[in-house]
Amino acid sequence: MTTHLSPQESVNALDGVLPQSRQSHLDSCASCRTHVEDLRAMMTTVGDVEDVPEPSPLFWDHFQSRVRAAVQAEMVQPARVSWWSRVTSMRGALAAGATVVVAAIAVALYPGGPVSPIAPSEDAPAAVADESMALDTAEWAFVSGMMDAFAQDDVREVLVPSTRAVDAAFAVLTSDERDAFVKLLTAEMAEGME
Amino acid sequence: MAAERMPVWGSGVEAEPGTQSVTPPAAALDLAAAEDRVLVAAFLAGSQDAFQIIVTRHQRAVYQVCYRFVRNHEDASDLAQDVFVRAFKGLKNFKGDSALSTWLYRVGVNCCLNKIAARRPDTEPLLEARHVDPHSDDPFRAVARSEKAAEVRRAIAQLPPRQRATLLLRVYQELSHEEIAGILGGSVGATKANFFHALSNLKRLLQS
């Protein structure tokens, strides 16, 4: 005796696409036949209550206007920004914050401030070397490690002004200031070429 | 923040029979007879009228699908509107490996399933359930038929969402099991099993 029809096979029987081997079972099995006929009757019952009321003819024009208005409203809405975009857009701010933290750590570890690159004037009293103010190797390694953790691009994003900012700054210069700026820039570029 | 870049939607297109519309421009007249895939391509290329023709062509079917899920005009029209707004934004993702109508049904079914998942169980509007034409030949039979129909609709509303969607798409939209599988996701076998269980559960609900 073969097995009864599975749910899928019962649906295939409803659709008239049951393979011959299973059709033979259906023909000989009263239980399966009754079940398939019940399913068919239920399909008919469901089909008979199909009644989506037809809206007013004016509705369709109104509907098109509504869709058009909704689409236009969507078009003027700002684009949605994903959480990841927000995180990546804050990269610069995070890098800036981290830079400040590193600087604060460095200051805390070396309260005397950085060594001035300018040589002290001869009039000034000679600086007294204070070994307690010097960073030891482990502290430098810590600060250096923190600095290495930042990507170059992130640091550049914070420290290098944008093109728009440069344009804005240049726009407020007087004519003389612009001339001086161009001369400085030209001299700088010539120096770089040497 | 930058606004999302989307094609512009113009106005004026030939309406489907039985509906009114404004006079279509010449370009729209050419598109009005075009196949769906041509309309989609035209829309993605920036045609101002292609999308409106898509709406005109499919609005009734989309509305009907939505109505069958929510059983009231207001929600159905809101959902149908949402379907076309989503289509406007998402047509660039339409691969063309199914009919546009099937793709729109997929969008519609997702909207409807979200809607019915978020609201209280369906209740048959009283007026709709009891509406009977007093001029029919046999008002008593008409009342019985109407009550039976309301009973069946209530039973359909109690089916699990995927069984309900499968049943509606198969019986009313007359989609193939393959198309329904494409809309709901999953295998054809699972879709057939869903359909089987939908009919079986319906029988049980109507007998109880």
Side-chain angles (χ1 to χ4, degrees):
Chain A
M1 180 182 169
T2 56
T3 55
H4 290 304
L5 297 186
S6 68
Q8 291 182 38
E9 288 174 327
S10 298
V11 172
N12 286 339
L14 273 180
D15 295 343
V17 293
L18 197 61
Q20 187 54 47
S21 58
R22 301 302 287 151
Q23 184 64 46
S24 303
H25 169 79
L26 182 62
D27 293 340
S28 62
C29 178
S31 171
C32 284
R33 225 172 25 251
T34 302
H35 203 69
V36 169
E37 285 314 310
D38 283 349
L39 294 177
R40 196 183 309 281
M42 194 49 59
M43 261 186 81
T44 305
T45 301
V46 173
D48 284 347
V49 300
E50 152 62 5
D51 64 340
V52 177
E54 177 62 22
S56 147
L58 293 175
F59 166 73
W60 297 114
D61 271 351
H62 176 58
F63 179 74
Q64 289 175 22
S65 304
R66 281 178 53 179
V67 174
R68 188 181 304 119
V71 162
Q72 285 165 353
E74 285 283 333
M75 287 169 69
V76 297
Q77 276 180 3
R80 286 188 187 141
V81 181
S82 69
W83 66 271
W84 178 245
S85 302
R86 276 193 219 112
V87 169
T88 53
S89 70
M90 289 192 302
R91 231 176 26 173
L94 290 173
T99 306
V100 169
V101 168
V102 170
I105 291 170
V107 168
L109 294 174
Y110 185 39
V115 177
S116 170
I118 303 170
S121 71
E122 290 180 358
D123 299 336
V128 178
D130 184 355
E131 290 186 355
S132 69
M133 295 171 71
L135 291 175
D136 63 21
T137 309
E139 289 162 344
W140 272 119
F142 174 75
V143 174
S144 171
M146 288 290 286
M147 289 303 292
D148 288 345
F150 301 125
Q152 290 276 349
D153 288 345
D154 292 344
V155 175
R156 191 173 299 116
E157 190 175 328
V158 176
L159 300 179
V160 178
S162 68
T163 308
R164 190 177 300 172
V166 173
D167 289 344
F170 195 75
V172 298
L173 295 179
T174 64
S175 177
D176 290 344
E177 287 170 337
R178 284 183 189 183
D179 289 344
F181 178 77
V182 168
K183 280 177 189 167
L184 277 173
L185 197 59
T186 307
E188 194 74 22
M189 290 174 71
E191 197 173 313
M193 296 287 284
E194 287 173 359
Chain B
M1 281 198 285
E4 207 166 343
R5 187 178 176 278
M6 284 189 284
V8 179
W9 185 9
S11 62
V13 65
E14 193 170 4
E16 66 178 27
T19 65
Q20 298 176 4
S21 185
V22 292
T23 306
L29 280 172
D30 292 333
L31 282 172
E35 292 177 17
D36 282 346
R37 59 184 178 80
V38 176
L39 290 177
V40 172
F43 167 67
L44 294 178
S47 164
Q48 297 192 5
D49 297 303
F51 189 75
Q52 189 163 352
I53 297 171
I54 289 171
V55 174
T56 306
R57 191 174 287 178
H58 295 282
Q59 60 188 6
R60 189 185 302 272
V62 168
Y63 170 85
Q64 287 177 340
V65 167
C66 296
Y67 188 95
R68 287 179 184 120
F69 275 92
V70 294
R71 303 298 318 168
N72 73 79
H73 174 71
E74 287 73 24
D75 284 345
S77 52
D78 285 349
L79 284 166
Q81 174 188 315
D82 194 23
V83 169
F84 285 110
V85 172
R86 286 171 188 236
F88 188 89
K89 293 192 289 186
L91 261 176
K92 58 183 178 294
N93 300 321
F94 174 61
K95 301 287 189 295
D97 47 7
S98 65
L100 177 62
S101 58
T102 305
W103 187 81
L104 288 170
Y105 288 156
R106 182 186 305 160
V107 177
V109 167
N110 284 332
C111 288
C112 292
L113 291 179
N114 289 338
K115 172 82 176 177
I116 61 177
R119 76 173 193 185
R120 57 183 162 67
D122 278 0
T123 51
E124 178 88 357
L126 192 61
L127 288 176
E128 183 188 357
R130 301 290 179 184
H131 177 72
V132 171
D133 180 5
H135 304 294
S136 62
D137 291 341
D138 188 345
F140 294 106
R141 183 175 292 180
V143 167
R145 197 165 50 237
S146 171
E147 290 187 344
K148 176 70 177 172
E151 192 183 345
V152 172
R153 283 194 292 267
R154 276 194 295 271
I156 292 173
Q158 291 178 54
L159 292 174
R162 289 180 74 83
Q163 289 181 22
R164 182 178 176 185
T166 305
L167 183 79
L168 296 177
L169 292 172
R170 178 70 182 142
V171 176
Y172 297 130
Q173 302 304 130
E174 298 180 342
L175 298 185
S176 68
H177 297 293
E178 287 77 10
E179 287 172 312
I180 296 170
I183 289 171
L184 296 176
S187 67
V188 174
T191 302
K192 287 181 179 177
N194 260 334
F195 186 56
F196 172 88
H197 292 303
L199 291 174
S200 301
N201 284 334
L202 210 52
K203 183 185 173 195
R204 181 178 51 77
L205 286 166
L206 290 172
Q207 284 174 344
S208 63

